[in-house]
Amino acid sequence: MCKYQESVEKWGIFEVEMPGKSDGNPFTDYTIQGTFCGKEETKTVDGFYDGDGIYRVRFMPSFTGDYTFTVQGSFSDEVFTGKFQVTEPSEGNHGPVRVSYTYHFAYEDGTPYYSIGTTCYVWELQSEELQEKTLETLKENAFNKIRFCIFPKHYVYNFHDPISFPYEGTPMDCSVLTRENFMQYTGRKEGNDFDYTRFNVKHFQHIEKRVKDLMELGIEADLIVMHPYDRWGFSQMSKECDDLYWKYVIARLSAYRNVWWSLANEYDLFPTKTTEDWERYARIICEKDAYSHLRSIHNCGPFYDHSRPWITHCSIQRQDLYKSAELVNEWRERYRKPVVLDEIAYEGNIEHGWGNISGQELTRRFWEAFCRGAYPGHGETYMNEDGILWWSHGGTLHGESPERFKFLKKIMDETPEPGLRPMQGMWDEVAATVDTMVPVHAYYLFYYSFMRPSFREYYFDDTTEFTVEVIDTWNMTIENRGTFKGRIHVDLPGREYMAVRIRKAE
Amino acid sequence: MCKYQESVEKWGIFEVEMPGKSDGNPFTDYTIQGTFCGKEETKTVDGFYDGDGIYRVRFMPSFTGDYTFTVQGSFSDEVFTGKFQVTEPSEGNHGPVRVSYTYHFAYEDGTPYYSIGTTCYVWELQSEELQEKTLETLKENAFNKIRFCIFPKHYVYNFHDPISFPYEGTPMDCSVLTRENFMQYTGRKEGNDFDYTRFNVKHFQHIEKRVKDLMELGIEADLIVMHPYDRWGFSQMSKECDDLYWKYVIARLSAYRNVWWSLANEYDLFPTKTTEDWERYARIICEKDAYSHLRSIHNCGPFYDHSRPWITHCSIQRQDLYKSAELVNEWRERYRKPVVLDEIAYEGNIEHGWGNISGQELTRRFWEAFCRGAYPGHGETYMNEDGILWWSHGGTLHGESPERFKFLKKIMDETPEPGLRPMQGMWDEVAATVDTMVPVHAYYLFYYSFMRPSFREYYFDDTTEFTVEVIDTWNMTIENRGTFKGRIHVDLPGREYMAVRIRKAE
């Protein structure tokens, strides 16, 4: 009576599909749990109602070999059991991303993960055509993480309705919205008629499809589960409805290995939520997500206390108009976790200061972040006649920075483990090393930002031979200057955005 | 027996020349004081020994009309008296610069003084030809203040001997100096043989000539009286010699209306001087300078306490690699004095972070400073084959920023009194106003720095008509967009470095 695959790859999605009770409200009235048992793990997870009398339980195995499962609950008078086999992961499947060496990330199979993120808040709720274009663009670029929302977005440049809503019901009339009046509707639910206890399963099915598409592109889905840009009441539901939502999202999505949980975007802009609420959601995740996906919470103004144990990494929006990535060292020291700069202003030209810096400035911020041992994030907000801005809608990219991120990604990929650590350089440089040998390391990276030195000098020891490369981070060139030892003099072109990479000669 | 002019213009230099005793050490063994008496002022000042048995007393009158003088002291057994007339100031002579409206400057005749400074530390101690070139360059540019040292400078790019020394004696051999070893000689006096009680009058006569040349160009001479870049012992003299030096400098130079006293450059880099020393010099200036010229003290790292009453304005070196002029609001609040940004990194390409930013970045910092109600300073450090760097030697300018300062100066000159005050604008703009009317002012200036908004909106009230101009601070254009009232929408080109000036329509 239940459907499932006979085999699944390690870190793949194993799913059991079953009929169940559909009277009353199946989202609230019934329970369903699956226990999955292999030689090296046993995990119990919640299932969920997927409409049309169908229930599902999903599981992500972390080991290979033979597994059995049992599904039961009030949703059915029957107990469902079965067995399946977990095979080796296919190429490109490295498992979920974990924190590695305190400040960095690696996939569960140990492959380092150098995060280069982007933000397209509601790309998956745009027209089918635009979504396909977004995936096409992602395929051609270096981004390996994308932040987006489960709920639709109400904000400047975001007045039209999404392709679907997360709940059954009808939304307010969006044709009344203008740039001038939209703020009056923010956080209100008047004019809407949603049942916050009945999910629109199509909405979630669709999001899952997109999470899977991203997985296949090797891109992490940093899911923004809650956000305050709302005219439908989704940001102001009761505690009970919030918890129901969290559990539903986790039951549906946690078996996807590329999922990260961003509890909220700009958590501090919710008018009614308290730290108690966020901590309660965090407890739900920690309890219900059997795979310990990465967890963060993103600020507008003040940071959430990133030192809380459930937070795996800092998801940071810059707090200063001028300094962003430059503060990474401070944040690393303070939180001792990976620092992910999810918003440090976007390349573009809209009216707002958060969305109108140049490609050069954003690329500079990326390098500042990387060389300080952090992970930068992109967004793009160019005014377009069609009103499509990458930052919210996806589509195509118009900026100059993404090309440079491909180049940066190559440099990132060439960083040895355990990854870059900011080191005390001269006062007028960003200096990083990798802790490989003592006292001289095998890898050093120096970045000069907007400064334009015509030469610099370096000294590590008298005997080690180093290969010196001059990197033009904007023009995307790497010039090998040869092998040196002792005091190393490096002539530079007197241009902005230069870096010098010094590695122990082979 | 004494020589003097029959008339002098107001704020001009009146001088009495007399023979006197030259046995022993005339710099230390004798006293000389002059008292100058007009209808509206009586001032007593020290004179000084000028070599060859000649003594001089100088006086700057602050009023027109008939004056008398008496000079006496142990330098001569005679008492010298005389009378002279003070005429109206000639064109371009507005008197010394004073603090005006707490945060700004004006000449003594009330003409606002909008400071745009530059730094050429020892331009006046280079070859005659180079000095003339410097004056030529200054004539063609917007700078109306220049910082330079009385003592010669020992530092990277500054190894050769000056054209003269301030004391009688012989210097160490400078041919031994290299980029690698020069720091070992810093602060040492070994190898020198100077008598710190006998001034080389030619050195001071020459500096006075250059101060006068600057005066004729309408440029303030911000004299750095002490500095730590020294291999001759001038930075480590005894208290007695220091005080002798200060009194000599003040006696010689305070009658020049364009003199400002900078007690020190990078006061915190002197290994042996204490706050007590700086305060003692300050007391000497306050006592001996009869004209209350502007007084400041410049930092390398920590600021001197600019709230001390003798300090007329903050002479600031930025303390952060990334933020400089952006911190002006904080400094204004803290010190409630004019903020002069004498070092916020120089346009150039030398190896040091203090001397290798682009013309665009320096121009951006100038606008940030100006729009926050402060006064920026320039310097230039381009590598040259001839080793001549404007920052120390003067000569010609190679950078892109000076042209933009002429443009900025024009905008500055069009600012109404009492001058710009930073106001609370949007979070993503630099906003300034001039306190002219209440509650709507007649002048607003908005600066967008590296941000590139494609439009902005402004609202002051419903009825006042404003003229809107879009200023491209880099391309140096002012576009008049016409007259508006109520909510004002201004389209912008989506480029960096734009400003919007909004003035009450005539």
Side-chain angles (χ1 to χ4, degrees):
Chain A
M1 279 284 280
C2 67
K3 290 189 206 161
Y4 58 95
Q5 313 104 288
E6 282 184 12
S7 81
V8 67
E9 64 179 306
K10 181 173 161 180
W11 302 312
I13 302 149
F14 180 75
E15 184 181 281
V16 188
E17 179 191 315
M18 297 144 290
K21 297 172 190 167
S22 56
D23 59 324
N25 182 351
F27 297 107
T28 57
D29 296 353
Y30 303 108
T31 61
I32 171 170
Q33 280 199 319
T35 298
F36 299 81
C37 198
K39 195 178 155 201
E40 290 167 284
E41 64 175 338
T42 297
K43 282 199 158 88
T44 298
V45 299
D46 287 348
F48 60 91
Y49 183 62
D50 201 24
D52 297 326
I54 300 294
Y55 286 76
R56 297 181 200 280
V57 185
R58 288 177 184 155
F59 171 66
M60 179 187 85
S62 298
F63 299 91
T64 55
D66 297 329
Y67 276 72
T68 59
F69 70 83
T70 309
V71 179
Q72 51 196 328
S74 62
F75 80 103
S76 171
D77 299 329
E78 206 176 327
V79 173
F80 300 90
T81 60
K83 56 186 184 182
F84 61 101
Q85 201 170 12
V86 179
T87 59
E88 290 295 334
S90 58
E91 207 194 316
N93 170 3
H94 302 286
V97 172
R98 308 297 186 190
V99 172
S100 163
Y101 300 110
T102 309
Y103 300 105
H104 302 280
F105 298 106
Y107 294 100
E108 193 163 302
D109 75 354
T111 308
Y113 168 77
Y114 300 106
S115 183
I116 289 206
T118 188
T119 293
C120 304
Y121 283 115
V122 283
W123 73 278
E124 90 286 13
L125 304 181
Q126 310 303 313
S127 73
E128 192 70 24
E129 188 195 343
L130 190 52
Q131 292 177 54
E132 291 301 327
K133 211 181 273 178
T134 305
L135 288 170
E136 205 51 50
T137 303
L138 288 171
K139 205 170 176 172
E140 291 160 3
N141 277 278
F143 306 115
N144 56 14
K145 178 169 91 73
I146 181 169
R147 300 167 70 228
F148 63 100
C149 305
I150 295 177
F151 286 144
K153 180 170 181 179
H154 165 72
Y155 200 63
V156 65
Y157 300 112
N158 288 267
F159 299 148
H160 64 280
D161 277 337
I163 52 165
S164 64
F165 284 96
Y167 293 99
E168 286 182 17
T170 51
M172 65 165 280
D173 173 14
C174 68
S175 71
V176 305
L177 298 167
T178 66
R179 163 182 295 280
E180 285 71 35
N181 74 11
F182 85 95
M183 280 302 290
Q184 300 164 24
Y185 292 88
T186 300
R188 278 171 46 180
K189 56 174 89 172
E190 286 84 351
N192 291 282
D193 183 22
F194 284 108
D195 181 346
Y196 304 124
T197 67
R198 285 185 184 267
F199 297 103
N200 172 14
V201 297
K202 289 206 166 10
H203 185 80
F204 291 90
Q205 285 164 0
H206 174 70
I207 289 178
E208 285 156 13
K209 176 173 178 294
R210 290 320 188 188
V211 169
K212 193 151 175 277
D213 290 337
L214 294 170
M215 185 197 292
E216 280 157 13
L217 292 175
I219 297 173
E220 301 298 299
D222 198 356
L223 293 175
I224 298 168
V225 184
M226 292 180 150
H227 67 77
Y229 328 111
D230 169 40
R231 64 175 178 261
W232 306 279
F234 305 147
S235 65
Q236 299 199 55
M237 303 188 297
S238 67
K239 279 186 171 45
E240 291 69 30
C241 291
D242 278 350
D243 293 1
L244 185 71
Y245 168 64
W246 273 102
K247 289 173 188 167
Y248 193 69
V249 166
I250 296 164
R252 293 200 72 119
L253 281 155
S254 59
Y256 291 77
R257 67 175 172 271
N258 62 327
V259 159
W260 298 23
W261 305 118
S262 175
L263 268 68
N265 206 52
E266 304 195 326
Y267 80 93
D268 46 324
L269 297 192
F270 285 79
T272 56
K273 295 208 189 301
T274 63
T275 301
E276 212 173 280
D277 290 314
W278 300 115
E279 291 296 311
R280 197 178 72 253
Y281 309 144
R283 277 198 302 277
I284 294 172
I285 307 174
C286 290
E287 185 194 331
K288 296 291 184 182
D289 166 12
Y291 316 102
S292 299
H293 290 287
L294 294 172
R295 294 175 294 261
S296 69
I297 180 165
H298 189 73
N299 64 297
C300 173
F303 292 162
Y304 201 87
D305 176 9
H306 295 309
S307 63
R308 298 215 181 225
W310 62 264
I311 296 182
T312 54
H313 63 283
C314 311
S315 168
I316 280 178
Q317 176 165 177
R318 59 96 187 257
Q319 297 177 309
D320 186 283
L321 191 55
Y322 297 89
K323 271 178 144 179
S324 55
E326 295 80 10
L327 300 171
V328 160
N329 310 52
E330 194 182 316
W331 297 327
R332 277 173 54 114
E333 282 295 305
R334 194 186 316 160
Y335 299 114
R336 307 218 174 248
K337 293 181 181 180
V339 172
V340 181
L341 300 171
D342 282 311
E343 188 177 341
I344 46 175
Y346 304 134
E347 179 177 351
N349 63 1
I350 59 167
E351 70 273 33
H352 304 290
W354 49 259
N356 58 26
I357 65 171
S358 68
Q360 290 194 324
E361 177 61 12
L362 186 55
T363 304
R364 189 189 73 72
R365 292 178 187 199
F366 265 59
W367 274 84
E368 288 273 354
F370 168 58
C371 295
R372 294 167 189 276
Y375 296 97
H378 157 270
E380 190 182 281
T381 42
Y382 279 104
M383 294 281 253
N384 285 306
E385 288 197 4
D386 54 14
I388 297 170
L389 286 75
W390 173 265
W391 137 86
S392 236
H393 314 118
T396 52
L397 288 164
H398 308 271
E400 296 181 291
S401 61
E403 201 58 31
R404 275 76 189 182
F405 302 154
K406 292 185 207 173
F407 178 75
L408 168 59
K409 185 63 171 44
K410 223 176 68 179
I411 305 282
M412 281 179 157
D413 287 340
E414 292 166 4
T415 315
E417 286 185 81
L420 283 187
R421 169 175 69 75
M423 70 174 210
Q424 186 58 53
M426 302 293 286
W427 68 279
D428 55 352
E429 68 190 7
V430 186
T433 188
V434 174
D435 292 307
T436 51
M437 303 152 49
V438 173
V440 178
H441 298 147
Y443 186 105
Y444 296 92
L445 187 61
F446 300 90
Y447 178 57
Y448 295 99
S449 197
F450 53 72
M451 286 162 286
R452 310 181 304 167
S454 45
F455 71 89
R456 295 289 289 199
E457 279 164 358
Y458 310 91
Y459 175 80
F460 307 100
D461 72 359
D462 288 322
T463 52
T464 312
E465 295 226 309
F466 288 100
T467 301
V468 173
E469 291 160 303
V470 172
I471 300 173
D472 184 327
T473 69
W474 181 252
N475 294 307
M476 300 175 284
T477 58
I478 304 177
E479 197 187 324
N480 188 329
R481 289 292 179 83
T483 302
F484 302 85
K485 65 181 176 181
R487 185 175 166 143
I488 302 171
H489 176 102
V490 180
D491 283 319
L492 293 168
R495 285 197 301 272
E496 290 175 307
Y497 315 130
M498 302 302 297
V500 175
R501 182 165 62 173
I502 301 180
R503 295 187 283 187
K504 194 160 176 292
E506 299 285 304
Chain B
M1 281 283 281
C2 67
K3 290 190 205 159
Y4 59 95
Q5 314 104 289
E6 281 183 12
S7 81
V8 67
E9 63 180 302
K10 181 173 160 179
W11 302 311
I13 302 149
F14 180 76
E15 183 181 280
V16 188
E17 178 189 315
M18 295 143 294
K21 298 173 189 168
S22 57
D23 59 324
N25 181 352
F27 297 106
T28 56
D29 296 353
Y30 304 108
T31 62
I32 171 168
Q33 281 201 316
T35 297
F36 299 82
C37 199
K39 197 179 153 201
E40 289 166 284
E41 64 175 336
T42 297
K43 282 201 157 88
T44 299
V45 298
D46 286 348
F48 60 91
Y49 183 63
D50 201 23
D52 297 327
I54 300 292
Y55 286 77
R56 298 181 199 280
V57 186
R58 288 177 183 153
F59 171 66
M60 178 187 85
S62 299
F63 299 92
T64 55
D66 297 329
Y67 276 73
T68 60
F69 70 84
T70 309
V71 178
Q72 52 195 328
S74 63
F75 80 103
S76 170
D77 300 329
E78 208 175 326
V79 172
F80 301 89
T81 60
K83 56 186 184 182
F84 60 100
Q85 203 171 11
V86 179
T87 59
E88 290 294 336
S90 58
E91 207 192 316
N93 171 1
H94 302 286
V97 171
R98 307 297 186 190
V99 172
S100 162
Y101 299 109
T102 307
Y103 299 104
H104 301 281
F105 298 105
Y107 295 100
E108 193 161 303
D109 75 354
T111 308
Y113 168 76
Y114 299 107
S115 184
I116 290 206
T118 188
T119 293
C120 304
Y121 283 116
V122 284
W123 73 277
E124 89 287 13
L125 304 181
Q126 309 303 313
S127 73
E128 192 70 24
E129 188 196 343
L130 190 53
Q131 291 177 54
E132 291 301 327
K133 210 182 274 181
T134 305
L135 288 169
E136 206 50 52
T137 303
L138 288 170
K139 204 171 178 172
E140 292 160 4
N141 277 278
F143 306 115
N144 56 14
K145 177 168 91 70
I146 182 169
R147 301 167 69 230
F148 63 100
C149 303
I150 295 178
F151 286 144
K153 181 171 182 180
H154 165 73
Y155 200 63
V156 66
Y157 300 111
N158 288 266
F159 300 150
H160 64 280
D161 276 338
I163 52 165
S164 65
F165 283 96
Y167 293 99
E168 287 183 16
T170 50
M172 65 166 278
D173 173 15
C174 68
S175 71
V176 303
L177 298 167
T178 65
R179 164 183 296 278
E180 284 71 36
N181 73 12
F182 84 95
M183 281 302 291
Q184 300 164 24
Y185 292 87
T186 300
R188 279 171 46 178
K189 56 174 87 172
E190 286 83 352
N192 293 281
D193 182 22
F194 285 107
D195 181 345
Y196 303 124
T197 68
R198 284 185 185 267
F199 297 103
N200 172 14
V201 299
K202 289 206 167 11
H203 185 81
F204 290 92
Q205 285 164 1
H206 174 70
I207 289 179
E208 284 156 15
K209 177 172 177 295
R210 291 318 188 189
V211 170
K212 193 153 175 278
D213 290 337
L214 294 170
M215 185 198 290
E216 280 158 12
L217 292 175
I219 297 173
E220 301 298 300
D222 198 355
L223 293 174
I224 298 168
V225 184
M226 291 179 151
H227 66 77
Y229 328 111
D230 170 41
R231 65 174 178 260
W232 306 279
F234 305 148
S235 65
Q236 299 200 56
M237 303 188 297
S238 67
K239 278 187 171 45
E240 292 69 29
C241 291
D242 278 350
D243 294 1
L244 186 71
Y245 168 64
W246 272 103
K247 288 173 187 167
Y248 193 70
V249 166
I250 295 163
R252 293 200 72 118
L253 280 155
S254 59
Y256 291 76
R257 66 175 173 272
N258 61 327
V259 159
W260 298 23
W261 305 119
S262 175
L263 267 69
N265 207 52
E266 303 194 327
Y267 80 92
D268 47 324
L269 296 193
F270 286 79
T272 56
K273 296 206 188 301
T274 63
T275 302
E276 212 173 278
D277 291 315
W278 300 115
E279 291 296 310
R280 196 178 73 253
Y281 310 143
R283 278 198 302 278
I284 294 172
I285 308 175
C286 291
E287 184 194 332
K288 296 290 184 183
D289 167 13
Y291 316 103
S292 299
H293 289 288
L294 294 172
R295 293 175 295 261
S296 70
I297 180 163
H298 188 74
N299 64 296
C300 172
F303 291 163
Y304 200 88
D305 176 10
H306 295 308
S307 62
R308 299 218 180 222
W310 62 265
I311 295 181
T312 54
H313 62 283
C314 310
S315 169
I316 281 178
Q317 175 166 176
R318 59 96 187 256
Q319 297 178 308
D320 186 282
L321 191 56
Y322 297 88
K323 270 177 142 178
S324 54
E326 295 79 10
L327 299 171
V328 160
N329 309 52
E330 193 183 316
W331 297 328
R332 276 174 54 116
E333 283 295 305
R334 193 187 316 162
Y335 299 114
R336 307 215 173 251
K337 293 180 182 181
V339 172
V340 181
L341 300 172
D342 282 312
E343 189 177 340
I344 45 176
Y346 305 134
E347 179 177 350
N349 63 2
I350 59 168
E351 69 274 32
H352 304 291
W354 49 258
N356 59 24
I357 64 171
S358 68
Q360 290 193 325
E361 177 60 13
L362 187 56
T363 304
R364 189 189 72 75
R365 292 178 186 200
F366 265 59
W367 274 84
E368 289 273 353
F370 168 59
C371 296
R372 293 167 189 275
Y375 296 98
H378 157 270
E380 191 182 281
T381 41
Y382 278 103
M383 295 282 254
N384 286 306
E385 287 198 6
D386 55 12
I388 297 169
L389 286 74
W390 172 265
W391 137 86
S392 236
H393 314 117
T396 51
L397 288 165
H398 308 270
E400 296 181 291
S401 60
E403 201 57 33
R404 276 75 190 182
F405 301 155
K406 293 185 203 170
F407 178 76
L408 168 60
K409 186 63 169 46
K410 223 177 68 180
I411 305 282
M412 281 179 157
D413 287 341
E414 291 166 2
T415 315
E417 287 185 81
L420 282 189
R421 169 175 68 75
M423 70 174 210
Q424 186 58 53
M426 301 293 285
W427 69 278
D428 55 352
E429 67 191 7
V430 185
T433 188
V434 175
D435 291 307
T436 52
M437 304 152 47
V438 173
V440 178
H441 299 146
Y443 186 104
Y444 296 92
L445 187 61
F446 300 90
Y447 178 57
Y448 294 100
S449 197
F450 52 72
M451 287 160 285
R452 310 182 302 167
S454 44
F455 70 89
R456 295 290 289 197
E457 280 164 357
Y458 310 91
Y459 175 81
F460 307 100
D461 72 359
D462 288 322
T463 52
T464 311
E465 295 226 309
F466 288 100
T467 302
V468 173
E469 291 160 303
V470 172
I471 300 173
D472 184 326
T473 69
W474 182 251
N475 295 308
M476 301 177 283
T477 58
I478 304 177
E479 196 187 325
N480 188 328
R481 290 291 178 84
T483 302
F484 302 85
K485 66 181 175 182
R487 183 175 167 143
I488 302 171
H489 177 101
V490 180
D491 284 318
L492 293 167
R495 285 196 300 271
E496 291 176 307
Y497 315 129
M498 303 301 298
V500 174
R501 182 165 62 173
I502 301 181
R503 295 187 284 187
K504 195 162 176 291
E506 298 284 304

